[in-house]
Amino acid sequence: MDISTDGYRAETPEGGGRVPSGAPRAYEADAKLPPPPVPGRRPGIQMAPTYADFGTEPPRLGNVEITGVHRSSAADDHLAINAGGSVEFEFDVPDPAVVREACVTLVALVSMLAGGPGYAPLTVHLNGRPLADELRIPNGGGLPQRLVFAVPAEELVPGRNTMRIASGVDARSMLWLYRVTVDPMNAHDQAGLALVRQAVAKPVLRYASDAGEVTIFVDRGEQSVLDQVAWADTSGTEYAITFEKRQRALYGWRRQPGGEPTEFRGRLTERGTVAKEAWRFDTEEGWAGGWHRSGDLLLAVEVRGCPVTRLAWRDLRGNNGTIAFGGGGFLGTYQRVGEGPIGYRGRFV
C-alpha cells in the first residue's frame, strides 16, 4: 500500500483549498487534525445563573457548591464571618470565551462596634487571584453595601472555578455576607432574576401575628415581588406593612376602629402557590380618554378572614397601585415605574 505524501491530499483550514502533493508531513497533520480540546471546556455554552443567597437557611444556591465554611455561622438573613473566618465556593464556567467578562457582586456589611463604625477587612480571591485585599467596606455597618468586581475571561477557567471570601484576622467586628452572584457579560443580573423567579413561583405569603394569621397575595402577572402593602378591611381596621428580610417577616402598624395606631409584626410561616380564598378580577387600564383590556388581577389580603375594602401596594421595581372595592369590582389607579399614573378598574369573576 502506498502511503507516501505523494498519494495523499488534505483539506486546508484556509479557503477550502488542498495541500499540494508532496507537502511536508507536519503540514499535512496540521491541516487534517482539529486543535486539541481544552480540558473542561464546553464550547459555546453560557454559564448558568450563579448565586449563593444567605437570606434563607439553608442558603439558596445556583450553580454553586459551598466547599468550606470556617469561623462562620448562619445568622438570620446573612452569614456571620468572624475574625479570620471565611467561606469557599466552587462554580462552573463551561466556556470563558462565551462569558467574556464576569461580574462578581457581593452584598455585605461590617457590623457596628459599640455604636461606632465596625472593622472587618474583606478579602476576595477568585482562582487564587485577589479581587479585593483587606478592603474596608464603607458605611461602617449602617446598611448592606453592594460591591462589584470585574473579572476578565482569562482569569476564569473552563469547568470548576473557586472563590474564597474572608474576614481579616485583625477584625474587631463581624463581616455579614448576604449574597454572592456571578454574572456573565451581556446577561445583566442573570443571577438576581433567577432569585426573583424563585420568589414569585410561590407568591402566596402567610404570616403569624398577634392579630392572627395574615395572608398576602397580589398578582398582576408581572413577575414582581411585593415590597409594601396597606389596606383596610370589613372590621374597620387599617394596616400598613413593609416586608423585611426578603419577605421572611413584615413590620408596620395597625389601627383598630376608634383606637390608636400600634406596632404590627409578622413572621413568615408558609409560602404557597395557591390561595383558595383569592379573588380574581377582569381588569381594564384607562389612558388617553379610554379604557383598554388588561390582564387579570388575583389577590388575597386579609387578617382572620376579614376581606379588604381598600388596598395599596408597591413592588420592588417601584410599580404601585391603589384600589377601593365595591359593587362587585374595584376602581383605582396604577403606576409603572418611570411612567405616569393610569386608571385601573376591574370586575369580580
Side-chain angles (χ1 to χ4, degrees), residues 1-213:
M1 179 181 294
D2 182 4
I3 57 171
S4 67
T5 56
D6 288 341
Y8 178 80
R9 297 179 183 272
E11 297 288 337
T12 69
E14 298 86 15
R18 294 184 177 273
V19 177
S21 177
R25 192 173 298 271
Y27 185 89
E28 285 179 26
D30 289 343
K32 179 181 179 183
L33 299 177
V38 176
R41 186 187 297 272
R42 283 159 285 161
I45 299 177
Q46 183 60 278
M47 66 187 294
T50 302
Y51 53 84
D53 182 359
F54 295 97
T56 62
E57 177 56 37
R60 292 188 291 174
L61 305 177
N63 190 34
V64 163
E65 180 184 357
I66 297 177
T67 55
V69 178
H70 309 284
R71 295 182 55 79
S72 306
S73 59
D76 199 12
D77 61 348
H78 60 272
L79 181 70
I81 304 177
N82 289 284
S86 64
V87 57
E88 297 168 2
F89 310 90
E90 289 186 355
F91 62 94
D92 181 57
V93 178
D95 185 355
V98 174
V99 173
R100 298 178 65 186
E101 179 177 275
C103 176
V104 175
T105 304
L106 275 62
V107 179
L109 66 71
V110 174
S111 63
M112 299 186 74
L113 192 63
Y119 180 73
L122 169 73
T123 295
V124 183
H125 282 88
L126 178 62
N127 295 329
R129 306 179 105 177
L131 297 182
D133 187 11
E134 297 192 347
L135 172 69
R136 185 157 188 173
I137 298 176
N139 204 35
L143 290 171
Q145 301 294 301
R146 187 171 181 266
L147 311 171
V148 183
F149 307 95
V151 180
E154 56 267 23
E155 295 187 10
L156 300 169
V157 298
R160 304 303 283 177
N161 289 250
T162 62
M163 186 185 303
R164 183 175 184 270
I165 299 171
S167 182
V169 295
D170 59 341
R172 298 190 296 274
S173 60
M174 307 280 283
L175 173 63
W176 291 3
L177 181 63
Y178 292 84
R179 181 183 293 183
V180 181
T181 61
V182 184
D183 291 310
M185 183 176 174
N186 299 326
H188 176 67
D189 201 23
Q190 171 180 272
L193 293 173
L195 286 165
V196 168
R197 284 193 293 270
Q198 287 187 27
V200 300
K202 293 184 176 181
V204 183
L205 308 173
R206 301 189 192 277
Y207 296 85
S209 78
D210 290 342
E213 183 180 78

